[in-house]
Amino acid sequence: MDIKVESGDITKSAAKAIIVNLFQGVTSPGGATGAVDKALDGGIAALIAEGEIKGKRGEVALVHSLGKLPTPRVLVAGLGKQDDFTIDVIRDVVGTALRRARATGAKTVATILHGAGIAGLDPEECAQAIAEGALMGGYRFRKYKNGGSVDGEEAGSDIESLTIVESDKGKAAAIKKGIERGQIMAQAANFTRDMANEPANELPPSALAARAQELAKDAGLEIEVWDEKKLTAAGMGALMGVGIGSVAPPRFIIMKYKGDPSSKKVLGLLGKGITFDSGGISIKPAAGMEAMKGDMSGAAAVLSTTWAIGKLKPKINLTCIVPTAENMPSGSATRPGDVVRAMNGKTIEVINTDAEGRLILADAICYANQEKLSPIIDVATLTGAMQIALGPGATGFFATTDEVANGLTEAGAKSGEQMWRMPLIGAYAEGLRSNVADIKNTGLRNGGAISAAEFLHFFVGDTEWAHIDMAGTDESDKEKGVWVKGSTGIPTRTLINFVLGWAAKK
């Protein structure tokens, strides 16, 4: 979708659909909506009086212009209550309205700059939110659809262009800048979605590495991919132990962005890349196992984030690390009771082969420490316990410092992706004690997400660190605002905003 800005009057737009807005409780529309209403001889006001248009958040009313405007369709998007209006509302409003416009068959759409006039928000931020909402809300994964309808819409019905029409020419530069950043943010989230939505037979570790190489090339980043021979030579026994049961061998991806050559400090982003998780010998129940193709969502998020940072070019150094493997049962698979050795020499007793994400991250953390990366932030669909604790409304994370924790919380708020700090409880590490090795890979049943974090903490040591467990937020089962069915792309935009914020502070 091409997104652009144009100076002018929305009532003069010849796009196949235009989007205006309305706060809940407003009976007489003003501003651009009022101008459109006037051109429609009070048609919008009449529908408000009839109770058909209420302005509730998420509501999109379709009004046909019947030749009274150059456009055949007007979409009146509900903003909800004025006191609750935020940038998040703009994203959701645009995402919902664009899907409604797409359903009508409109190929070109024009919209006003929501939020800048009626709420006095920054024009650049409003434009960024519109771009994010349009590209994320309009996302569909159709790679394996052979024509026909898609969710009730005909194939090929995608919107080709969205124009932000603004009467104040002085805002054009800020709007254009906001669009550019919003497109990068949304494209990164959609890259994450693309990878997470791929079936596992199409995206084994080698193919995930190939995707990473494509992203690196496009953003001008350095990249290195280690095969199983190099992993063995490096002593990454935890990663090899997870991948050894599959015919698709593991890989280790290292992607680097060097935006501050004058500094030796390098931030590390680590992502769990289990391209399919059967549970291994400790096999999962059959019901819902197909969703385990998305157990590499953390890897997808950090790869896409690093691509976006390469495009945005902040003054910071960043290394992205992805350990990737397929967790399968076979005659060569790691068994419960086996002992594997991590890169730093520490031994791990494998109690449950379905607790494999923490194993591959252990080797990634060891490598990050070897490279002196700090802070380290790892991202993973790690535990069902986190999903139970927070559900789909917030992404849980742990952090060793308030500075990193506050940075993630603020970045999440800016992205519309709520982040919730969980406690690190050292006493829970006692449940990870092994009789035969330095540590075992599962602890007490209660507080499972904290126990998993403490396992990772064992390998982190004193390095500044955060662990994001996005098991509850990586997928959506419905369409709402910018979220569509399938992968959400969370926490890609949070990570981008965190890196940008960290660069600004340092």
Side-chain angles (χ1 to χ4, degrees):
M1 184 191 305
D2 180 35
I3 305 177
K4 54 192 175 181
V5 59
E6 181 180 287
S7 297
D9 181 347
I10 193 71
T11 64
K12 302 294 192 297
S13 174
K16 293 301 180 182
I18 63 171
I19 304 170
V20 292
N21 58 44
L22 189 76
F23 277 117
Q24 186 174 344
V26 171
T27 57
S28 179
T33 306
V36 171
D37 179 53
K38 183 177 179 181
L40 294 174
D41 296 332
I44 295 175
L47 291 174
I48 293 172
E50 289 291 328
E52 187 171 338
I53 298 178
K54 299 181 178 66
K56 290 183 177 180
R57 182 172 175 177
E59 171 193 274
V60 179
L62 173 63
V63 181
H64 292 96
S65 68
L66 302 178
K68 294 176 182 178
L69 288 168
T71 181
R73 305 172 186 89
V74 176
L75 297 172
V76 184
L79 302 180
K81 296 179 181 179
Q82 191 161 359
D83 290 345
D84 298 332
F85 186 76
T86 64
I87 286 290
D88 288 346
V89 176
I90 299 175
R91 292 190 193 95
D92 285 346
V93 159
V94 173
T96 302
L98 263 288
R99 286 196 296 274
R100 183 68 182 90
R102 184 175 66 196
T104 70
K107 298 284 187 180
T108 59
V109 179
T111 182
I112 60 174
L113 185 64
H114 307 280
I118 52 176
L121 300 180
D122 180 69
E124 184 178 329
E125 291 185 1
C126 294
Q128 179 178 330
I130 289 172
E132 290 180 22
L135 294 176
M136 291 182 66
Y139 173 86
R140 292 187 289 185
F141 187 74
R142 302 188 300 177
K143 184 176 179 180
Y144 300 100
K145 294 277 190 178
N146 292 311
S149 65
V150 180
D151 294 332
E153 297 175 21
E154 291 301 312
S157 62
D158 287 331
I159 293 170
E160 296 172 356
S161 70
L162 173 66
T163 303
I164 299 176
V165 179
E166 171 56 43
S167 58
D168 185 351
K169 293 182 180 180
K171 295 178 181 177
I175 294 171
K176 185 177 180 181
K177 188 176 179 180
I179 290 172
E180 290 172 351
R181 176 172 286 200
Q183 286 177 311
I184 291 171
M185 300 284 282
Q187 285 169 1
N190 287 347
F191 286 154
T192 298
R193 288 167 158 179
D194 281 343
M195 287 183 270
N197 285 330
E198 278 282 359
N201 62 318
E202 294 289 339
L203 200 73
S206 60
L208 181 60
R211 289 283 186 97
Q213 288 171 322
E214 291 172 3
L215 291 173
K217 182 179 180 180
D218 184 64
L221 306 171
E222 295 180 15
I223 188 167
E224 187 177 355
V225 178
W226 293 5
D227 62 14
E228 62 272 31
K229 292 181 181 179
K230 191 159 186 178
L231 293 175
T232 301
M236 291 192 176
L239 173 55
M240 288 299 297
V242 172
I244 200 170
S246 172
V247 296
R251 293 289 183 267
F252 193 74
I253 304 164
I254 307 162
M255 185 187 291
K256 296 180 179 180
Y257 166 75
K258 297 178 179 179
D260 187 6
S262 65
S263 174
K264 293 183 179 180
K265 294 181 179 179
V266 185
L267 187 153
L269 291 182
L270 285 54
K272 173 187 171 184
I274 298 295
T275 58
F276 187 77
D277 183 17
S278 70
I281 296 297
S282 308
I283 197 163
K284 294 178 180 290
M289 195 193 288
E290 70 279 358
M292 290 300 101
K293 67 180 184 179
D295 209 19
M296 35 59 66
S297 295
V302 297
L303 290 171
S304 300
T305 294
T306 309
W307 169 87
I309 294 302
K311 292 289 187 178
L312 294 169
K313 295 181 170 41
K315 189 176 182 180
I316 195 170
N317 299 317
L318 170 66
T319 295
C320 169
I321 300 169
V322 170
T324 175
E326 188 175 66
N327 188 24
M328 297 289 284
S330 73
S332 62
T334 294
R335 297 153 291 229
D338 284 359
V339 174
V340 297
R341 190 180 299 273
M343 186 185 184
N344 66 351
K346 299 294 185 181
T347 54
I348 307 165
E349 182 185 7
V350 179
I351 301 300
N352 186 334
T353 64
D354 193 25
E356 83 301 327
R358 64 198 72 180
L359 294 175
I360 69 171
L361 284 172
D363 272 336
I365 290 168
C366 290
Y367 177 82
N369 274 336
Q370 175 185 286
E371 296 298 305
K372 296 181 169 52
L373 307 184
S374 182
I376 297 170
I377 300 175
D378 74 71
V379 188
T381 47
L382 204 67
T383 66
M386 183 63 80
Q387 190 172 15
I388 292 168
L390 294 181
T395 300
F397 75 94
F398 304 80
T400 56
T401 67
D402 290 342
E403 186 177 15
V404 170
N406 293 339
L408 284 172
T409 301
E410 292 166 7
K414 191 172 184 178
S415 308
E417 300 174 347
Q418 185 176 8
M419 305 293 291
W420 192 265
R421 189 180 187 181
M422 301 287 284
L424 285 164
I425 302 176
Y428 286 21
E430 295 177 7
L432 298 169
R433 290 178 179 173
S434 168
N435 293 328
V436 299
D438 295 317
I439 194 170
K440 59 183 181 179
N441 76 327
T442 59
L444 301 173
R445 177 178 175 82
N446 293 332
I450 302 172
S451 179
E454 288 295 347
F455 175 90
L456 297 176
H457 198 187
F458 175 81
F459 291 91
V460 169
D462 296 328
T463 304
E464 191 172 16
W465 164 71
H467 159 57
I468 298 174
D469 186 344
M470 25 81 84
T473 56
D474 69 313
E475 275 200 328
S476 175
D477 60 0
K478 60 184 177 182
E479 291 185 342
K480 184 179 181 182
V482 297
W483 313 120
V484 297
K485 292 179 182 178
S487 173
T488 59
I490 292 173
T492 305
R493 290 178 300 124
T494 293
L495 292 173
I496 297 169
N497 279 326
F498 175 85
V499 175
L500 294 175
W502 199 259
K505 290 177 183 177
K506 303 301 176 180

